[in-house]
Amino acid sequence: MSDFIIGLTGGVASGKSEVTRRFEALGVHVADADVVARAVVEPGQPALARIAERFGAGILLADGRLDRRRLREQIFSDPQARADLEAITHPAIRLALEHECRVAAGPYAIAAIPLLAEAGGRAAYPWLGRILVVDAPVELQRARLMRRDGVDEALAGRMIAAQVSREARLAIADDVLVNDGHPDHLETPVRDLDARYRALASRL
């Protein structure tokens, strides 16, 4: 059981996945909000039933699964629809994330939440013991996006601008891991953070 939970977040192309892989290599369980978000809208889940009730049965495919393409079309053209969807899914995601972390083996667990700052930060996730922000300069995020996703500079800039500012993200951080070099440079800071979190967890 892990009573000490770290929230890990960061901007797009900041290197969150690389960091979480290194924590996992040290035996730390990582609950991924993106994975959980897909799981809570699987057939049979209460959230999917509420989505169908709000958006109509036409939002479901023939096999009963969510028609993600049709849902995206609705929420991007209607801010109220997006807010309604988030009111259904976000509580379910938070509950499932917390449960997965608490039943994990080890002294602490990590909840990887890419949009933690956008989703209300610590107020929305009061069960987080600390928040770790993976940080990178905006110019480097843009370059990584262009290389990783094959997008042009303008689109990369819009993808970054769609998220909260770097400053707003850093404002909720207890710990900051700067990822502005080669991935191998993450080894030492991740080990240092792991040692710190294990020590903090032992005091609970």
Side-chain angles (χ1 to χ4, degrees), residues 37-53:
R38 291 190 289 272
V40 300
V41 294
E42 284 294 305
Q45 294 295 317
L48 182 61
R50 292 186 60 202
I51 290 171
E53 183 180 320

Side-chain angles (χ1 to χ4, degrees), residues 13-15 44 55 70-71 81 86-87 96 101 118 128 137 156 169 201:
S14 60
F55 293 93
R70 182 171 293 184
L71 182 62
E86 291 175 349
C101 286
E118 290 86 344
L128 293 175
R169 198 176 298 110

Side-chain angles (χ1 to χ4, degrees), residues 118-201:
E118 290 86 344
R122 199 180 304 276
Y125 293 84
W127 40 268
L128 293 175
R130 292 182 77 81
I131 293 175
L132 168 61
V133 171
V134 181
D135 183 50
V138 173
E139 298 75 16
L140 185 54
Q141 286 180 268
R142 187 182 298 113
R144 286 173 175 166
L145 271 174
M146 293 168 66
R147 183 173 63 250
R148 186 190 75 186
D149 295 356
V151 300
D152 62 24
E153 185 174 356
L155 178 54
R158 289 197 297 274
M159 292 168 71
I160 294 168
Q163 299 186 327
V164 299
S165 69
R166 183 185 182 193
E167 291 74 23
R169 198 176 298 110
L170 290 171
I172 68 169
D174 295 297
D175 305 299
V176 178
L177 198 167
V178 179
N179 180 24
D180 59 359
H182 190 277
D184 287 348
H185 296 164
L186 295 170
E187 192 74 27
T188 297
V190 167
R191 285 188 176 278
D192 289 346
L193 285 166
D194 176 63
R196 181 188 305 171
Y197 296 153
R198 288 176 188 274
L200 289 170

Side-chain angles (χ1 to χ4, degrees), residues 16-100:
K16 298 181 297 297
S17 297
E18 186 66 37
V19 172
T20 57
R21 278 194 293 271
R22 290 174 185 274
F23 274 107
E24 287 173 325
L26 296 172
V28 180
H29 181 82
V30 177
D32 188 327
D34 289 339
V35 173
V36 169
R38 291 190 289 272
V40 300
V41 294
E42 284 294 305
Q45 294 295 317
L48 182 61
R50 292 186 60 202
I51 290 171
E53 183 180 320
R54 163 60 179 84
F55 293 93
I59 208 70
L60 301 179
L61 297 167
D63 64 359
R65 294 183 178 277
L66 183 64
D67 187 336
R68 296 176 184 278
R69 181 187 60 79
R70 182 171 293 184
L71 182 62
R72 274 196 302 270
E73 290 172 355
Q74 289 202 35
I75 64 172
F76 282 121
S77 61
D78 183 348
Q80 185 58 54
R82 185 186 186 95
D84 290 347
L85 176 66
E86 291 175 349
I88 294 169
T89 58
H90 284 192
I93 292 168
R94 289 194 292 266
L95 192 64
L97 269 177
E98 182 181 8
H99 176 73
E100 182 179 339

